[in-house]
C-alpha cells in the first residue's frame, strides 16, 4: 500500500495528539519491562504424542472472548487432545473440561497480542492479520504498543522500507516525543533503525534533525526505561561514529542535565575512539573534566575507568548502576 513520508508523519501526529488528550496531557514515561518473544503457532502437542489426524473423531464448541470456535477432539490413552484449526492451537487434559481450560490458557497470549494491536490502532475487534499487511500509517503507530514484541515486529517491517525515506520524518518525531507514556519503546525502535542513519536520511537537513533529536533525548530523558538512553549513546558512538556524533557525545557527557544521558555518552565515547582514533585526545579531555566535576560519584569513577579503557584498548568496563535506576 502506497503512502508518503508526510502521510506517515501526519498519522503519527494525530495519534500522539489523541493519546495526549485521552491521558489529560503529557505523561511520564512508563517502564515497559522486558520484551517477551511471541512465537505462534506452538509445536502441536498431538505430534509429540503421536496422535494421528484420524484420531480426532469428535467436534465441540469452544468460546473465548465472546467468539465461538470448533475444536476437534481425540480421546487417547495419553489423555484428551483438542485441536482448534482456526486458531492453530492444541491442548490436552485428563478430560474434555480440563483440555478446554488448558486450551484457553494456551490461547491467551495470542488474543492478548491481537487485542494490543487493535487498541493501538483503534480497531473494534482483535486484529487477526499480519503486521506486514497494515498500512504504513498504522505500522508506525505500533512502535508505541505496550507489547514490546509487537513494537519489535513493526520495527522490523519498517526497517525493510526505511531506506526509501518513507518513515524518516516520523522516526525523528518519535525521538522528540515527550508526552506518550510508552514513548521509550518507540524511541528504542527508532534508535535501532537509525543505526543506518546515513542511508535512511536523504538530506543533510534530515541528518541534522535526527542527530539533534538523539541529542535532546539524551539531554532530557528522566529515566532509562527499555535501555533507550543507553541505546542512544551506543548508536552515536558505535554506529554513526562521525565528527557530529562525537560533538554530541562530548556535550552530553559534560553538560547533560540528566545522569542517564551522561552515562550513555561516556559509554558512547569509548566506541567513538575505536572508530575514530583521532578523537582520543579530545575525548579524554572531556572525560577528565567529568571525572572531576560530575555531581554523581559513580559517574566520576566511570569517567576515570573509561579513560583507562581507552588508553589500554582493552574491552570496556560495564557501565555503572545509578541511584536513579531504582526509581
Amino acid at each position: 500500500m502506497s503512502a508518503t513520508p508526510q502521510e506517515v508523519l501526519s498519522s503519527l501526529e494525530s495519534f500522539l495528539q489523541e493519546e495526549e488528550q485521552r491521558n489529560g496531557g503529557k505523561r511520564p514515561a512508563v517502564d515497559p519491562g522486558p520484551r517477551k518473544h511471541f512465537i505462534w503457532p506452538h509445536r502441536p502437542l498431538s505430534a509429540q504424542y503421536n496422535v494421528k489426524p484420524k484420531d480426532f473423531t469428535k467436534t465441540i464448541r469452544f468460546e473465548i472472548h465472546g467468539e465461538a470456535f470448533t475444536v476437534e477432539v481425540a480421546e487417547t490413552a495419553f489423555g484428551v487432545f483438542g485441536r482448534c484449526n482456526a486458531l492453530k492451537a492444541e491442548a490436552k487434559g485428563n478430560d474434555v473440561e480440563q483440555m478446554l481450560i488448558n486450551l484457553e490458557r494456551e490461547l491467551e497470549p495470542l488474543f492478548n497480542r491481537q487485542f494490543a494491536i487493535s487498541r493501538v490502532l483503534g480497531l473494534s475487534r482483535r486484529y487477526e492479520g499480519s503486521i506486514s499487511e497494515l498500512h504504513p500509517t498504522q505500522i508506525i503507530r505500533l512502535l508505541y504498543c505496550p507489547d514490546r514484541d509487537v513494537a519489535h515486529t513493526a520495527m522490523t517491517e519498517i526497517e525493510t522500507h526505511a531506506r526509501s525515506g518513507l518513515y524518516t520524518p516520523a522516526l525523528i518525531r518519535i525521538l522528540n516525543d515527550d508526552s506518550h507514556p510508552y514513548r521509550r519503546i518507540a524511541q528504542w525502535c527508532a534508535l535501532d533503525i537509525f543505526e543506518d542513519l546515513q542511508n535512511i536520511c536523504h538530506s543533510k537537513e534530515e541528518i541534522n534533525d535526527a542527530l539533534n533529536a538523539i541529542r535532546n533525548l539524551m539531554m532530557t530523558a528522566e529515566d532509562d526505561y527499555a535501555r533507550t538512553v543507553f541505546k542512544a549513546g551506543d548508536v552515536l558512538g558505535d554506529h554513526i561514529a562521525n565528527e557530529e556524533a562525537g560533538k554530541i557525545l562530548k556535550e552530553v557527557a559534560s553538560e547533560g542535565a540528566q545522569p542517564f544521558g551522561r552515562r550513555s555518552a561516556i559509554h558512547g565515547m569509548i566506541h567513538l575512539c575505536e572508530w575514530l582514533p583521532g578523537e582520543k585526545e579530545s575525548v579524554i579531555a572531556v572525560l577528565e573534566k567529568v571525572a572531576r566535576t560530575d555531581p554523581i560519584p559513580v559517574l566520576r569513577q566511570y569517567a576515570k575507568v573509561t579513560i583507562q579503557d581507552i588508553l589500554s584498548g582493552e574491552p570496556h568496563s560495564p557501565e555503572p548502576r545509578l541511584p536513579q535506576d531504582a526509581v
Side-chain angles (χ1 to χ4, degrees):
M1 291 175 282
S2 62
T4 67
Q6 186 56 47
E7 287 172 343
V8 175
L9 175 61
S10 295
S11 176
L12 176 66
E13 290 284 11
S14 297
F15 169 75
L16 293 176
Q17 290 171 9
E18 291 164 5
E19 285 296 309
E20 190 167 336
Q21 291 172 1
R22 186 163 28 248
N23 294 329
K26 297 180 179 181
R27 292 280 301 278
V30 170
D31 184 355
R35 173 189 169 196
K36 298 178 181 178
H37 293 257
F38 179 81
I39 299 173
W40 198 268
H42 296 157
R43 184 185 177 192
L45 277 174
S46 59
Q48 298 177 43
Y49 287 86
N50 200 29
V51 179
K52 306 297 184 183
K54 64 180 178 59
D55 296 328
F56 289 88
T57 58
K58 301 178 183 178
T59 62
I60 58 175
R61 176 185 170 91
F62 169 66
E63 292 190 7
I64 182 171
H65 292 290
E67 295 185 60
F69 301 91
T70 296
V71 173
E72 299 175 348
V73 177
E75 296 178 340
T76 77
F78 301 106
V80 177
F81 291 79
R83 180 172 66 186
C84 182
N85 291 321
L87 298 173
K88 300 179 181 178
E90 292 189 4
K92 70 178 289 289
N94 293 329
D95 51 33
V96 170
E97 182 180 6
Q98 187 61 51
M99 178 272 289
L100 291 177
I101 291 173
N102 292 339
L103 181 60
E104 183 173 355
R105 185 181 298 117
E106 170 78 2
L107 286 166
E108 276 305 307
L110 173 65
F111 276 77
N112 288 340
R113 180 183 179 90
Q114 293 175 336
F115 284 133
I117 293 172
S118 294
R119 282 192 292 270
V120 173
L121 300 182
L123 305 179
S124 59
R125 67 182 308 277
R126 66 187 176 92
Y127 179 69
E128 300 178 59
S130 168
I131 287 175
S132 63
E133 297 170 355
L134 292 168
H135 194 270
T137 56
Q138 296 174 301
I139 294 174
I140 193 68
R141 296 180 177 209
L142 288 182
L143 295 185
Y144 284 89
C145 186
D147 183 330
R148 290 187 65 181
D149 195 75
V150 169
H152 190 273
T153 303
M155 180 193 77
T156 302
E157 180 63 25
I158 288 171
E159 283 181 318
T160 64
H161 305 282
R163 291 193 177 196
S164 69
L166 175 62
Y167 293 98
T168 304
L171 294 171
I172 294 171
R173 174 65 180 87
I174 286 171
L175 291 177
N176 284 316
D177 178 21
D178 63 354
S179 65
H180 196 287
Y182 285 101
R183 58 187 175 272
R184 297 297 180 239
I185 299 174
Q187 288 167 340
W188 190 98
C189 292
L191 287 165
D192 196 71
I193 295 168
F194 275 148
E195 288 180 358
D196 192 24
L197 184 75
Q198 299 295 332
N199 291 311
I200 293 170
C201 295
H202 290 183
S203 68
K204 182 64 176 176
E205 181 181 10
E206 274 192 340
I207 291 174
N208 288 338
D209 288 345
L211 289 173
N212 284 331
I214 296 173
R215 171 196 174 277
N216 291 338
L217 173 64
M218 296 177 71
M219 281 284 194
T220 62
E222 298 178 349
D223 59 81
D224 198 10
Y225 297 149
R227 298 277 281 169
T228 297
V229 180
F230 180 83
K231 177 80 168 177
D234 190 68
V235 169
L236 288 174
D238 200 23
H239 296 276
I240 299 175
N242 58 21
E243 184 177 348
E244 291 82 0
K247 288 179 180 178
I248 294 171
L249 290 171
K250 295 168 194 174
E251 180 187 8
V252 174
S254 58
E255 302 175 21
Q258 298 296 335
F260 305 106
R262 300 200 303 277
R263 175 176 63 184
S264 175
I266 293 170
H267 172 84
M269 286 193 290
I270 299 173
H271 295 298
L272 182 74
C273 290
E274 292 171 347
W275 291 106
L276 300 177
E279 291 285 322
K280 284 185 179 181
E281 184 177 347
S282 60
V283 163
I284 288 174
V286 170
L287 290 172
E288 287 174 340
K289 176 185 175 184
V290 173
R292 294 192 307 271
T293 64
D294 196 281
I296 297 181
V298 292
L299 289 183
R300 295 199 298 271
Q301 180 61 29
Y302 187 35
K304 294 177 183 178
V305 170
T306 300
I307 292 172
Q308 296 304 313
D309 289 341
I310 291 172
L311 292 174
S312 69
E314 295 295 321
H316 63 78
S317 303
E319 73 280 3
R321 182 173 178 83
L322 294 168
Q324 293 87 340
D325 282 320
V327 176

